Amino acid sequence: MSKVKLDEIDHQILDMLIDNTRTPFTDIAKKLLISAGTVHVRVKKMEESGIIKGSSLTLDYVKLGYSFIAYVGIFLEKTHQTKFVLERLSQIPYVTVAHITTGKFNIFCKIRAKDTTHAKNIIFKIDDIDGISRTETMISLEESINDKKRLMHTIFNEL
Amino acid sequence: MSKVKLDEIDHQILDMLIDNTRTPFTDIAKKLLISAGTVHVRVKKMEESGIIKGSSLTLDYVKLGYSFIAYVGIFLEKTHQTKFVLERLSQIPYVTVAHITTGKFNIFCKIRAKDTTHAKNIIFKIDDIDGISRTETMISLEESINDKKRLMHTIFNEL
DNA sequence: GGTGAAACTTCTAATAA
DNA sequence: TTATTAGAAGTTTCACC
């Protein structure tokens, strides 16, 4: 769980792979003036140490028919029900993110749905979970920023 | 921007690549009993049509020293300031997501920070943006669910 | 649309430095 | 740790279904 030491080379490798996981190691090697074998070894190490947890495609959800996003704040009857409620939430695939939070809500989650009708069904399903006293929904009218890469590039240039 | 038609083969290709973007096309071909060339052509088409927007690594933020997550609800003085405020937010790399929302807040964003001190600085910077009257912060104590892949697998099995 | 094979590129592991 | 190298593996194109 602790922090892992990465040097400048590692950062630059990640910086290139962040934008395109299929960037050939030979290209990375050329740019960083090291051998492809070294890139390979370093990537493998970062995978083993858990820094690199995996890779994923960025898909266009709208084109897949899922254009609805909402955030749902959850109020629990008792906080000791948190674990149970989270387990139930994780059984709903349309709940893509959930956090235990301080502040207004006890749990805070994000849902992706096809449309308002679909979203309504999902929210009703959430409302039905035992231990939840009330929910508050914020509907996204527009996802204006969604950019983890910007943060990553910032982190990798912090050295 | 409209929906794109994908057949069962496309879905299965995406379903495999979602979990590992470096899954060899030869492996996918073997599993789906088609040729590697076909996989290649189909992936290329999905890239061209915009269904596949890109690929990215999933990194362990905690190991990178960024263990703090908070959601910040923003109240604007006037809604016509939305665009300006979003532009300012997008200049802060620690703001990784922002939505225009209905409900309690006008804008809703997510921040990633190193620690509470760092987060405080970011939130102060947000508070300072012209047009923002007030913000409300929810600190994540634990990110319990973060799983787009589950949704994707559900979508790809809907046919 | 798809295939299969050829040509080309990349990966990977072993060896050596 | 890193570089080199060579064989294995993967990608990509294209003539032909």
Side-chain angles (χ1 to χ4, degrees):
Chain A
M1 282 297 139
S2 57
K3 273 180 75 167
V4 173
K5 283 178 249 118
L6 299 179
D7 64 12
E8 179 62 18
I9 303 278
D10 290 324
H11 277 186
Q12 296 212 252
I13 292 171
L14 290 177
D15 205 44
M16 293 187 74
L17 286 176
I18 275 283
D19 285 325
N20 176 9
T21 56
R22 282 190 178 256
T23 308
F25 290 180
T26 46
D27 285 7
I28 297 174
K30 230 174 282 168
K31 192 153 183 181
L32 304 185
L33 306 174
I34 55 179
S35 75
T38 302
V39 176
H40 177 240
V41 169
R42 279 169 175 265
V43 169
K44 207 166 181 186
K45 263 184 201 159
M46 290 193 279
E47 283 170 349
E48 278 160 7
S49 74
I51 276 278
I52 298 177
K53 291 205 269 186
S55 61
S56 193
L57 293 182
T58 309
L59 301 179
D60 190 320
Y61 292 84
V62 176
K63 286 189 175 138
L64 288 167
Y66 279 73
S67 52
F68 191 98
I69 300 173
Y71 287 93
V72 180
I74 296 173
F75 297 90
L76 296 178
E77 286 160 7
K78 306 243 167 84
T79 48
H80 74 254
Q81 294 158 318
T82 306
K83 202 184 159 199
F84 170 79
V85 171
L86 284 169
E87 262 162 29
R88 290 305 199 83
L89 285 175
S90 71
Q91 284 159 16
I92 305 171
Y94 309 102
V95 175
T96 56
V97 182
H99 291 262
I100 303 173
T101 54
T102 65
K104 260 187 87 63
F105 310 112
N106 298 115
I107 295 174
F108 191 69
C109 67
K110 179 180 184 176
I111 66 172
R112 273 258 176 208
K114 293 180 201 178
D115 48 42
T116 47
T117 308
H118 188 206
K120 186 196 69 189
N121 291 336
I122 296 163
I123 292 168
F124 279 7
K125 204 176 272 180
I126 293 174
D127 276 326
D128 262 357
I129 296 173
D130 279 339
I132 292 181
S133 67
R134 201 164 68 78
T135 62
E136 206 173 292
T137 302
M138 283 151 278
I139 294 170
S140 168
L141 301 176
E142 187 185 304
E143 184 175 46
S144 309
I145 301 175
N146 190 338
D147 194 354
K148 272 187 294 191
K149 293 182 183 179
R150 228 172 61 245
L151 172 60
M152 285 300 137
H153 292 310
T154 305
I155 294 177
F156 299 143
N157 288 315
E158 264 175 3
L159 262 190
Chain B
M1 282 300 137
S2 56
K3 274 181 76 169
V4 173
K5 281 178 250 117
L6 299 178
D7 64 10
E8 179 62 17
I9 303 279
D10 291 324
H11 276 185
Q12 295 212 251
I13 291 171
L14 289 176
D15 205 45
M16 292 187 76
L17 286 175
I18 275 282
D19 286 326
N20 175 9
T21 56
R22 282 192 177 253
T23 307
F25 292 177
T26 46
D27 283 8
I28 297 174
K30 229 174 284 168
K31 192 155 183 180
L32 303 185
L33 306 174
I34 55 181
S35 75
T38 301
V39 176
H40 177 241
V41 170
R42 279 169 174 266
V43 169
K44 208 168 181 183
K45 264 186 200 157
M46 290 192 279
E47 282 170 350
E48 278 159 8
S49 73
I51 276 276
I52 297 178
K53 291 206 269 189
S55 61
S56 193
L57 293 181
T58 309
L59 301 178
D60 189 320
Y61 292 83
V62 176
K63 286 189 175 140
L64 287 167
Y66 279 73
S67 52
F68 191 98
I69 300 173
Y71 287 92
V72 180
I74 297 174
F75 297 90
L76 298 177
E77 286 159 6
K78 306 241 167 83
T79 48
H80 74 253
Q81 295 159 319
T82 306
K83 204 184 159 200
F84 170 80
V85 171
L86 284 169
E87 263 162 29
R88 291 306 200 80
L89 285 175
S90 72
Q91 285 159 17
I92 305 172
Y94 309 102
V95 175
T96 56
V97 181
H99 291 262
I100 303 173
T101 54
T102 67
K104 255 187 92 62
F105 311 110
N106 298 114
I107 295 174
F108 191 69
C109 67
K110 179 180 183 175
I111 66 173
R112 272 260 177 206
K114 292 180 201 177
D115 47 42
T116 47
T117 309
H118 187 209
K120 184 196 68 189
N121 292 334
I122 296 163
I123 292 167
F124 280 7
K125 203 175 272 176
I126 293 174
D127 276 326
D128 262 357
I129 297 173
D130 280 340
I132 292 182
S133 68
R134 201 164 68 76
T135 62
E136 206 173 291
T137 302
M138 283 151 277
I139 295 171
S140 167
L141 301 176
E142 188 185 304
E143 185 176 45
S144 309
I145 301 175
N146 188 340
D147 195 353
K148 274 188 292 191
K149 293 181 183 180
R150 226 171 59 245
L151 172 59
M152 284 301 137
H153 292 310
T154 304
I155 294 178
F156 300 143
N157 288 315
E158 265 174 4
L159 264 188

